[in-house]
Amino acid sequence: MDILLQQIINGLVQGAIYAMVALGYTMVYGIMGLINFAHGEVVMIGTLVAITVITLLVGAGVPPAMAGACGVVAAAAVCMIIGWSLERVAYRPLRNAQRLAPLITAIGCSIVLQNVAMMVWGRNYMTFPPLIAKTQFEIAGASFTSVQVLILLVASVSMGGLLFLVYRTKLGMAMRATAQNPAVAGLMGVNANRVISSAFVVGSALGAVAGVMVGTYYEIAHYQMGFMLGLKAFTAAVLGGIGNLAGAMAGGLLLGLIEALGAGYIGDLTGGFLGSHYQDIFAFAVLIVVLMFRPSGLFGEKTGDRA
Amino acid sequence: MSASHGQKGSPVNASSKEPLLIVEGLRVAYGGIQAVRGITFHIDAGETVALIGANGAGKTSTLRALSRMLDAAGGSVRYLGKDISRLPPHRLVREGIALVPEGRGVFPRLTIAENLAMGAFTRDDKPKIARDIEHVFGLFPRLKEREKQLAGTLSGGEQQMLAIGRALMSRPKLLLLDEPSMGLAPIMVQKIFEVIRTVAAEGMTILLIEQNAKLALETSRRGYVLESGEITLTDEAEKLLHNPKVREAYLGE
């Protein structure tokens, strides 16, 4: 019982991080049908920028919590610029190209960003400085830390903010309209380029926050960390129904839970043959199963309602 | 584009006399195929003009070029004395041109209220927008009943009402209607055209593109007949309705 609760807590925290990254994939896909495979690298750069800023500030005597906040802001600013530039430089010229071209470009961007990060931050693992005192709590035999609580809190606030933006503001309405019918949204006076740029910028900001969460949670970062994280977040987005915001959130949480529970019980299930380090197979097993049996995902939109 | 801009140098007549929209030598091509072969027409402020023709005559291509959803292959489009043939599409509505696209083009997963708000996207005057929404609901009471419903759940006729209402929300000076009767039940067509006449009576300038020639001509002051991408006939709508050629080709008599 206690292992179940423990894995649920761990899964939710990991899932919240997946959800934050998955939103970046799903927003861009929802508006322009592009899978921005470089998004995982944007998250990685967010983590590394945060490390640099926080380490500098803490070294200068700034309190860690304050340094952490500055780190998040700096990471978000850098990631927003990178996200905006990716769209402007790499994807916009290919807007009317065949589908394969932007996909390959995305992979190319991903490699470029990784290599730039390697040149700036080096190839060694970096330690993410602690931002808050790590207190341990216990409930019904399961333990969780203040860091986990903070991650869930920040994720909730960020996602709430995103929902507000998309469902309660004029920019959000323009985003939804453009996703549904770009030509007609243009007739209404919506500048599609501006909407697409906003999707990249907002998604990258969420990715930066997620990057700081990953760093704080695992206390370690590396220039190649974006690849697996991006792939799993993409899986989460597909699981929820790519293009759908609620789907990305639910898909992220669900994938986190599946992984954590899988890792918790895989030893028992296979009689000790496979250990918890095999947890990655769950994410991709999920991806395969979803693609086989429900390619539109859990919240996937039916195509019938397009007028 | 090889548009001719000879217009600019020509002497300007008294601006009150100049038509709201002047289309000259407009050509539209898809690949090598010419859909519109250099058509010329104009619309005066306050009048309703019908552009009729069979399926494939080039009506929708003309409208798509006017509304900048595609680039013209040649010719000029002057609106309020200004060449608009190269404006990006999202700028047109700011100039006062609103299009009700073929097939309605409502946003299926936005509510009726949100669809109407999208129509007012370029406006910031909230109290006036609210008043205009009420005006649209006055024209189409059915929409008010379904205000919070997703537009995708509406019937075709209701979607057409919404598309017209949405276009009115930008307070246009020129309203372009692309096949408003298409795919609708006869009773719904009557309702839609009643509203079009009401809007026209309020002083709106309308370009009406229709396959239903009788209805279009009955609603308009003047008409143009488009055949294989060329305007073959133009006259007052009343006279076109009684023109033997039009009666034979488009009124099924």
Side-chain angles (χ1 to χ4, degrees):
Chain A
M1 185 58 206
D2 47 344
I3 213 186
L4 177 67
L5 188 60
Q6 185 67 59
Q7 294 303 355
I8 287 177
I9 293 172
N10 295 347
L12 282 178
V13 174
Q14 183 62 57
I17 295 172
Y18 288 155
M20 294 277 288
V21 182
L23 284 167
Y25 283 100
T26 228
M27 283 181 77
V28 166
Y29 185 87
I31 289 177
M32 56 186 304
L34 166 81
I35 294 166
N36 174 20
F37 271 122
H39 186 56
E41 310 324 319
V42 173
V43 176
M44 171 272 293
I45 288 183
T47 314
L48 297 184
V49 166
I51 289 189
T52 304
V53 170
I54 294 166
T55 310
L56 271 175
L57 289 178
V58 170
V62 177
M66 174 91 84
C70 295
V72 172
V73 171
V78 171
C79 289
M80 285 158 98
I81 292 170
I82 293 176
W84 183 86
S85 315
L86 277 177
E87 192 276 324
R88 193 71 193 78
V89 176
Y91 301 136
R92 192 176 296 184
L94 298 173
R95 191 83 54 81
N96 299 314
Q98 15 171 329
R99 289 179 78 88
L100 206 51
L103 192 70
I104 293 168
T105 303
I107 294 168
C109 290
S110 168
I111 294 169
V112 168
L113 288 176
Q114 260 193 38
N115 281 278
V116 168
M118 188 190 74
M119 291 191 298
V120 175
W121 284 281
R123 26 172 94 244
N124 296 323
Y125 281 87
M126 297 170 78
T127 316
F128 200 96
L131 301 181
I132 57 169
K134 200 170 181 180
T135 341
Q136 196 120 348
F137 306 96
E138 249 178 67
I139 287 184
S143 67
F144 57 98
T145 66
S146 48
V147 171
Q148 290 180 312
V149 174
L150 184 70
I151 288 175
L152 287 178
L153 218 67
V154 172
S156 310
V157 171
S158 311
M159 291 194 254
L162 178 72
L163 289 178
F164 180 85
L165 171 78
V166 171
Y167 289 99
R168 288 282 176 275
T169 67
K170 208 169 166 177
L171 173 63
M173 190 169 68
M175 286 175 154
R176 286 181 291 144
T178 304
Q180 293 172 33
N181 193 335
V184 175
L187 290 175
M188 305 293 121
V190 176
N191 183 343
N193 284 335
R194 215 178 275 176
V195 166
I196 289 170
S197 290
S198 331
F200 272 88
V201 166
V202 173
S204 301
L206 289 172
V209 177
V212 179
M213 289 176 175
V214 177
T216 316
Y217 196 34
Y218 294 106
E219 297 166 6
I220 207 164
H222 185 238
Y223 77 97
Q224 283 178 331
M225 65 183 272
F227 176 71
M228 189 56 97
L229 180 61
L231 216 49
K232 287 192 180 169
F234 170 68
T235 302
V238 172
L239 172 61
I242 192 152
N244 182 302
L245 294 186
M249 296 178 189
L253 290 176
L254 202 56
L255 187 69
L257 285 173
I258 291 170
E259 267 195 2
L261 293 173
Y265 290 105
I266 191 170
D268 297 345
L269 287 174
T270 59
F273 181 65
L274 296 175
S276 64
H277 50 282
Y278 276 93
Q279 68 161 338
D280 288 350
I281 66 168
F282 290 100
F284 302 114
V286 164
L287 182 61
I288 291 166
V289 170
V290 170
L291 289 178
M292 279 171 71
F293 295 105
R294 201 177 157 80
S296 59
L298 298 176
F299 291 61
E301 274 137 20
K302 292 162 226 105
T303 41
D305 61 356
R306 278 194 190 266
Chain B
M1 269 181 48
S2 58
S4 70
H5 291 283
Q7 295 300 314
K8 277 185 183 157
S10 64
V12 183
N13 347 358
S15 59
S16 61
K17 284 262 178 154
E18 186 171 342
L20 187 65
L21 185 82
I22 306 172
V23 175
E24 275 198 332
L26 182 72
R27 291 191 292 118
V28 179
Y30 300 97
I33 301 149
Q34 291 225 7
V36 178
R37 303 159 181 269
I39 63 170
T40 296
F41 65 95
H42 71 272
I43 307 171
D44 288 324
E47 71 172 346
T48 299
V49 170
L51 188 59
I52 60 173
N55 210 354
K59 303 189 300 291
T60 289
S61 297
T62 303
L63 211 54
R64 285 183 164 257
L66 290 186
S67 58
R68 300 290 298 115
M69 289 168 90
L70 53 78
D71 284 327
S76 75
V77 179
R78 280 161 58 82
Y79 166 80
L80 285 172
K82 179 171 156 187
D83 186 349
I84 57 162
S85 59
R86 282 172 200 202
L87 277 187
H90 67 267
R91 289 278 305 282
L92 277 183
V93 65
R94 283 170 219 273
E95 300 288 335
I97 302 177
L99 168 71
V100 178
E102 184 183 7
R104 277 95 60 180
V106 300
F107 302 111
R109 290 181 303 285
L110 297 190
T111 64
I112 309 299
E114 285 174 326
N115 267 277
L116 292 175
M118 277 308 296
F121 185 76
T122 53
R123 296 171 55 189
D124 282 318
D125 43 348
K126 274 195 180 154
K128 280 188 189 160
I129 291 174
R131 218 181 307 151
D132 287 353
I133 287 190
E134 284 313 311
H135 180 237
V136 169
F137 285 155
L139 290 172
F140 301 111
R142 257 171 200 259
L143 294 182
K144 186 168 175 67
E145 294 160 24
R146 292 163 171 70
E147 199 176 349
K148 300 265 183 268
Q149 223 169 292
L150 293 184
T153 65
L154 296 179
S155 73
E158 290 162 346
Q159 291 192 8
Q160 187 61 264
M161 294 175 176
L162 180 57
I164 294 175
R166 182 180 62 184
L168 292 176
M169 287 303 298
S170 66
R171 292 212 163 184
K173 296 190 189 81
L174 173 62
L175 184 61
L176 310 173
L177 294 169
D178 194 355
E179 304 274 10
S181 78
M182 197 173 71
L184 301 186
I187 183 152
M188 199 51 100
V189 173
Q190 291 306 326
K191 275 192 186 158
I192 298 282
F193 271 78
E194 245 166 63
V195 172
I196 294 174
R197 285 184 203 111
T198 308
V199 172
E202 285 170 1
M204 181 70 67
T205 311
I206 299 175
L207 175 61
L208 177 56
I209 294 208
E210 256 299 340
Q211 230 170 312
N212 187 334
K214 183 166 187 285
L215 203 51
L217 291 173
E218 283 169 358
T219 309
S220 308
R221 197 173 80 82
R222 291 189 303 118
Y224 293 88
V225 178
L226 199 56
E227 269 177 284
S228 311
E230 284 174 86
I231 287 176
T232 52
L233 204 56
T234 174
D235 209 333
E236 282 170 22
E238 186 64 33
K239 289 183 181 156
L240 285 177
L241 269 172
H242 295 103
N243 183 312
K245 264 167 72 185
V246 174
R247 292 184 78 91
E248 190 188 346
Y250 301 105
L251 306 180
E253 286 171 23

